[in-house]
Amino acid sequence: RGSCESHDRGFIDGWKASDPNQPAAIIAEAQMLMAEAWCVRGRGYAQTVPVPAMRMFQLRMKMAHDLLEVHHDTASVDPEYYAAMAGAYRGLNKSYTALIALLDGAAEREPYYLNAYFEASLQFLPQWGGGPEAMTYFARYVASKTEASDKTGFYYRIYWHLDDCNCASRVAGWDREALKQGMRDVYERYPVPFNAQRMIEDNCRAGDVEEAKFYMKALNPMATSDADLGPMIDGCRAQASRPA
């Protein structure tokens, strides 16, 4: 589709010409090619995509992949390189073994770069051949790469990211105890009201009022008993009773 050609192409071409070894320009071109690929393909299931559109999708994805691969030594100094390559891997249906090898390389460079893990997590969703077992493995893998600083916090971070795109429910079977510990570890490192409020919501939706109280008390340090948190606790119980 002609309308799928990016308006940024001229800008990116000029950017690359002015500095051929600029990592961000290479990554931007690869991301542009992938955006064009998805535009041509559409978001439906593979069997609904016309053959010419699928061929164009695969061609642009391969162009993005090859561009990143050729410029690996130059572009991979920017951790966004690995997020972009993970997107290309998903589009080309690369194996989980290949994806984990890619992330091993990313973790050697910058183990705490969230976007690389977030992009990779999409490949573990059912529509890409994943599911609960694969996603649990992936979340634990990410937590193992980041435990020196964040303990098990990244297990919960992966869930949070997928929940924001309404994807977490597609891989039922999250380890509830691991999620709770991940929340505690995130909050220990980043004890800010935004995080506490999010963790209240997540625990209430899960029907875990007792765990939600921990974060309610964090938001209300003057509360000395459950009675002081009455309206919040009632709201939590009401949220837990709503159909999912």
Side-chain angles (χ1 to χ4, degrees), residues 20 58 62 67 94 141 151 163 166 198-199 202 211:
Q58 292 169 341
K62 188 173 187 309
L67 175 69
K94 293 274 189 177
Y141 163 84
K151 299 182 180 178
D163 190 55
N166 296 317
R198 174 60 186 247
M199 292 160 189
D202 283 352
E211 186 66 13

Side-chain angles (χ1 to χ4, degrees), residues 140-193:
R140 292 190 186 281
Y141 163 84
V142 174
S144 75
K145 292 294 183 182
T146 54
E147 64 185 352
S149 176
D150 288 59
K151 299 182 180 178
T152 68
F154 272 64
Y155 185 93
Y156 174 59
R157 284 179 176 275
I158 295 298
Y159 172 86
W160 184 340
H161 169 69
L162 293 171
D163 190 55
D164 281 349
C165 74
N166 296 317
C167 302
S169 61
R170 301 179 201 172
V171 281
W174 290 89
D175 184 327
R176 177 66 192 153
E177 292 305 311
L179 281 176
K180 285 165 63 174
Q181 187 58 54
M183 288 184 205
R184 293 283 185 122
D185 290 339
V186 169
Y187 193 73
E188 178 184 335
R189 185 162 171 76
Y190 305 103
V192 297

Side-chain angles (χ1 to χ4, degrees), residues 60-218:
R60 277 180 161 82
M61 277 290 174
K62 188 173 187 309
M63 289 171 65
H65 171 274
D66 291 354
L67 175 69
L68 292 168
E69 190 170 64
V70 165
H71 293 284
H72 172 273
D73 291 348
T74 299
S76 63
V77 299
D78 184 333
E80 182 64 15
Y81 170 92
Y82 293 96
M85 187 63 99
Y89 274 30
R90 179 163 55 94
L92 295 172
N93 286 322
K94 293 274 189 177
S95 70
Y96 287 146
T97 301
L99 180 60
I100 292 299
L102 174 73
L103 294 176
D104 284 342
E108 288 178 10
R109 291 267 189 169
E110 177 44 73
Y112 301 101
Y113 188 66
L114 285 165
N115 206 38
Y117 300 126
F118 288 167
E119 182 62 43
S121 70
L122 300 176
Q123 194 163 335
F124 292 85
L125 292 170
Q127 58 266 45
W128 298 100
E133 185 175 345
M135 187 63 78
T136 296
Y137 162 79
F138 176 69
R140 292 190 186 281
Y141 163 84
V142 174
S144 75
K145 292 294 183 182
T146 54
E147 64 185 352
S149 176
D150 288 59
K151 299 182 180 178
T152 68
F154 272 64
Y155 185 93
Y156 174 59
R157 284 179 176 275
I158 295 298
Y159 172 86
W160 184 340
H161 169 69
L162 293 171
D163 190 55
D164 281 349
C165 74
N166 296 317
C167 302
S169 61
R170 301 179 201 172
V171 281
W174 290 89
D175 184 327
R176 177 66 192 153
E177 292 305 311
L179 281 176
K180 285 165 63 174
Q181 187 58 54
M183 288 184 205
R184 293 283 185 122
D185 290 339
V186 169
Y187 193 73
E188 178 184 335
R189 185 162 171 76
Y190 305 103
V192 297
F194 178 84
N195 285 342
Q197 187 59 53
R198 174 60 186 247
M199 292 160 189
I200 290 169
E201 292 172 5
D202 283 352
N203 281 299
C204 291
R205 280 190 290 126
D208 195 339
V209 179
E210 288 305 309
E211 186 66 13
K213 286 181 188 177
F214 173 85
Y215 302 101
M216 293 177 191
K217 291 172 183 175

